[in-house]
Amino acid sequence: MVFNSVVFLFCFLPLALLVYYLVPGKGKNAVLLLESLIFYCWTGITWLPLIAVLIAVNYLAGLFLGRRKGGGRKLVLVLAVVVSAAALIFFKYTNFLIDTLNQIAGLGLSSLSFLSVLPLGISYYIFKLISYVADVYTRKIEPEKNLIDFSAYVLFFPQLIVGPIVRYRDMAQTLHTGKGRCTLQKAEDGAVQFVFGLAKKVILADSIGMLWQDIIAPDGGVGLANASTPLAWLGILAYSLQLYFDFAGYSEMSNGLSRMMGFECPANFNLPYMATSITDFWRRWHISLSMWFRDYVYIPLGGNRCSKGRQILNMLVVWALTGFWHGANWNFLCWGLYYFVLLVIEKYLLRGVLQKGRGWQRVYTLFFVVLGWGIFTANAAGAPLGLLMSRLFLPQGGVSPLYFLRNYGVLLLLGCLFSTSLPGWLWEKTRRILPLRLLLFAGVMLLSIAFVVASTGSTALYADF
């Protein structure tokens, strides 16, 4: 079940909110857990035992770490992290490792067919579990003693498909709040955030993404080999906008749903295409993932409190893991290492130059970010990395972009405008004009619903990662 589906919008969500609002006090956590279980098992219960075992292991580990003051704490932490990480590695990377061994050594090993589809949300809830036991170990939080509350946090359905990776300490206070958790103001703000996120996904992301598919689709498309260099750049720009509105839209829908249920969760995006450096970009894009790797990998490795060589090694580890977290394919590792190189260059060579720049930094940042998305999508059918790079950097003739500009020009312009702070600024200007505000909200909601009904409820791009 996806947020932009008729079933979710007109059946699951209204009933879930109604029951959640009617149940008093901390009973809401039991309702939330039940609703999350229904959401998780909507397409089957195959992987329910997996997440149940992982919840039990980390719940018990948290209790032990919270009560124990002497020896054994580090061993329990390591065991809990290893169990969680091993589950992620097995389900996400086993077939990739088998295919790699077959290619290198010609072993002829068969891939595991039952791993062809990832367990729902495994990349996200595993990181939530690891952050929980790590925070209990470092005494940043007290362990959760109520299994229902802990399970509701892990399975929290608004964050299950594509995150964000919200830590237990950001939700604990609300989980332990009974009366006053839900307010009319939170419901109103959450509904606005959800609808605007839905619009980003179904109106902008899905529509703009059709341009990239028209270029690379093996059947019925132009074919990347037939695209001219300007058309290849137009296509990768469209993909960059699609990915942003798809993921940012889902993150806003998630945070909007959370707010309607009383939870205030940190923003996952902050106008990343307005960044003035690659470093700044990663402070704005998928913020919850960047913060997770900083706090649970980079800083424990030594962070910046060590020699320059060790700092570079720490960055290499973080960005290799960041790349592989996104998917079991070599292009994701290349994408992670690409950002490692850019960030090392910025950190040690370009920091002063970028701070003194006036405007050109945004062009520089956008160029390398858009190019990075070309590496990121290189595993897609019809877009091999070598062919894409040759089309982008070796001027070649082919199908002109003019036809696509006529068909998609308005959408691309809207995409560029909605990537800036202009929409948010205009929305704030309507705060004191309630009729106009209501009219805009209703218009966006109705248009989004029309797109949902007309579409097939396409899933989020990041749901595959």
Side-chain angles (χ1 to χ4, degrees):
M1 193 188 318
V2 293
F3 295 163
N4 55 303
S5 66
V6 172
V7 172
F8 180 83
L9 291 174
F10 296 103
C11 298
F12 182 86
L13 181 59
L15 290 173
L17 289 176
L18 178 63
V19 176
Y20 183 79
Y21 288 151
L22 289 176
V23 172
K26 289 185 64 178
K28 292 182 186 300
N29 292 344
V31 171
L32 180 58
L33 175 59
L34 178 61
E35 292 171 351
S36 297
L37 284 169
I38 294 171
F39 185 90
Y40 183 83
C41 298
W42 189 258
T43 55
I45 62 171
T46 303
W47 303 120
L48 185 59
L50 168 68
I51 197 169
V53 168
L54 290 171
I55 287 174
V57 167
N58 286 275
Y59 170 73
L60 294 173
L63 292 179
F64 178 89
L65 293 170
R67 294 172 181 171
R68 188 82 172 182
K69 295 182 179 179
R73 294 184 79 246
K74 182 173 287 188
L75 176 61
V76 170
L77 171 68
V78 170
L79 288 174
V81 171
V82 166
V83 168
S84 298
L88 179 62
I89 291 169
F90 175 77
F91 285 97
K92 193 168 184 177
Y93 302 101
T94 296
N95 281 342
F96 169 72
L97 293 173
I98 290 174
D99 292 342
T100 302
L101 287 173
N102 287 340
Q103 292 173 9
I104 294 175
L107 298 179
L109 300 174
S110 299
S111 59
L112 305 180
S113 59
F114 70 93
L115 297 180
S116 59
V117 179
L118 279 177
L120 181 66
I122 190 169
S123 296
Y124 299 93
Y125 67 70
I126 290 292
F127 273 27
K128 291 172 75 172
L129 291 168
I130 292 174
S131 70
Y132 169 77
V133 293
D135 286 350
V136 173
Y137 175 79
T138 56
R139 309 290 189 188
K140 292 177 181 176
I141 58 173
E142 292 295 320
E144 176 55 68
K145 297 179 176 60
N146 188 307
L147 181 58
I148 291 177
D149 293 356
F150 181 69
S151 301
Y153 158 70
V154 177
L155 280 164
F156 189 48
F157 76 84
Q159 299 165 1
L160 196 55
I161 301 178
V162 291
I165 306 167
V166 179
R167 304 177 205 194
Y168 171 79
R169 62 190 188 215
D170 293 324
M171 296 178 64
Q173 183 176 353
T174 305
L175 282 169
H176 296 150
T177 300
K179 186 178 180 181
R181 176 187 298 191
C182 301
T183 66
L184 183 60
Q185 187 62 54
K186 286 182 179 179
E188 178 186 329
D189 293 343
V192 169
Q193 192 171 17
F194 179 85
V195 168
F196 284 178
L198 179 65
K200 286 182 177 180
K201 163 62 179 170
V202 300
I203 299 175
L204 292 174
D206 291 351
S207 300
I208 293 174
M210 293 173 62
L211 168 56
W212 179 235
Q213 291 303 314
D214 282 347
I215 294 173
I216 68 168
D219 300 319
V222 169
L224 192 57
N226 300 317
S228 63
T229 294
L231 181 57
W233 277 107
L234 184 66
I236 203 64
L237 173 63
Y239 178 76
S240 302
L241 291 171
Q242 177 196 12
L243 189 62
Y244 168 60
F245 288 118
D246 187 281
F247 194 17
Y250 251 92
S251 294
E252 287 186 25
M253 283 190 277
S254 170
N255 282 359
L257 287 172
S258 301
R259 185 170 292 177
M260 283 190 275
M261 294 182 156
F263 297 88
E264 296 284 354
C265 298
N268 206 28
F269 287 84
N270 181 23
L271 303 176
Y273 291 160
M274 297 294 290
T276 55
S277 66
I278 300 299
T279 304
D280 187 32
F281 173 79
W282 279 104
R283 294 190 185 114
R284 297 165 173 263
W285 178 279
H286 205 344
I287 298 169
S288 63
L289 181 68
S290 300
M291 298 290 283
W292 194 96
F293 273 112
R294 185 198 68 180
D295 292 345
Y296 301 107
V297 179
Y298 185 69
I299 290 176
L301 287 174
N304 294 328
R305 306 183 310 275
C306 47
S307 66
K308 183 182 293 187
R310 181 57 186 271
Q311 289 179 39
I312 293 175
L313 178 61
N314 294 343
M315 292 175 67
L316 175 62
V317 172
V318 166
W319 285 100
L321 291 175
T322 300
F324 262 137
W325 178 88
H326 282 82
N329 201 295
W330 289 113
N331 72 292
F332 293 118
L333 176 62
C334 292
W335 177 77
L337 296 179
Y338 167 83
Y339 273 109
F340 159 72
V341 172
L342 290 176
L343 289 166
V344 167
I345 292 172
E346 279 196 359
K347 185 178 179 70
Y348 296 107
L349 297 177
L350 296 181
R351 178 180 294 177
V353 178
L354 289 169
Q355 290 174 347
K356 295 176 182 178
R358 295 187 177 181
W360 61 266
Q361 312 103 303
R362 285 196 171 93
V363 177
Y364 145 83
T365 304
L366 276 175
F367 173 80
F368 283 106
V369 167
V370 170
L371 182 60
W373 294 135
I375 302 172
F376 188 83
T377 191
N379 67 324
L385 183 59
L387 177 59
L388 178 59
M389 292 298 116
S390 69
R391 286 286 155 180
L392 292 176
F393 292 106
L394 297 177
Q396 300 177 53
V399 177
S400 168
L402 294 179
Y403 169 80
F404 296 92
L405 281 172
R406 286 197 299 268
N407 285 355
Y408 292 95
V410 173
L411 278 171
L412 291 171
L413 179 61
L414 287 174
C416 292
L417 288 175
F418 278 83
S419 300
T420 71
S421 58
L422 179 61
W425 180 81
L426 291 174
W427 179 249
E428 283 302 311
K429 287 296 182 182
T430 67
R431 183 173 294 277
R432 296 183 180 180
I433 312 173
L434 186 57
L436 178 59
R437 199 176 181 86
L438 291 174
L439 184 63
L440 286 173
F441 174 75
V444 172
M445 181 176 66
L446 291 174
L447 187 60
S448 299
I449 290 174
F451 271 80
V452 168
V453 172
S455 70
T456 56
S458 61
T459 190
L461 295 178
Y462 257 68
D464 296 328
F465 306 141

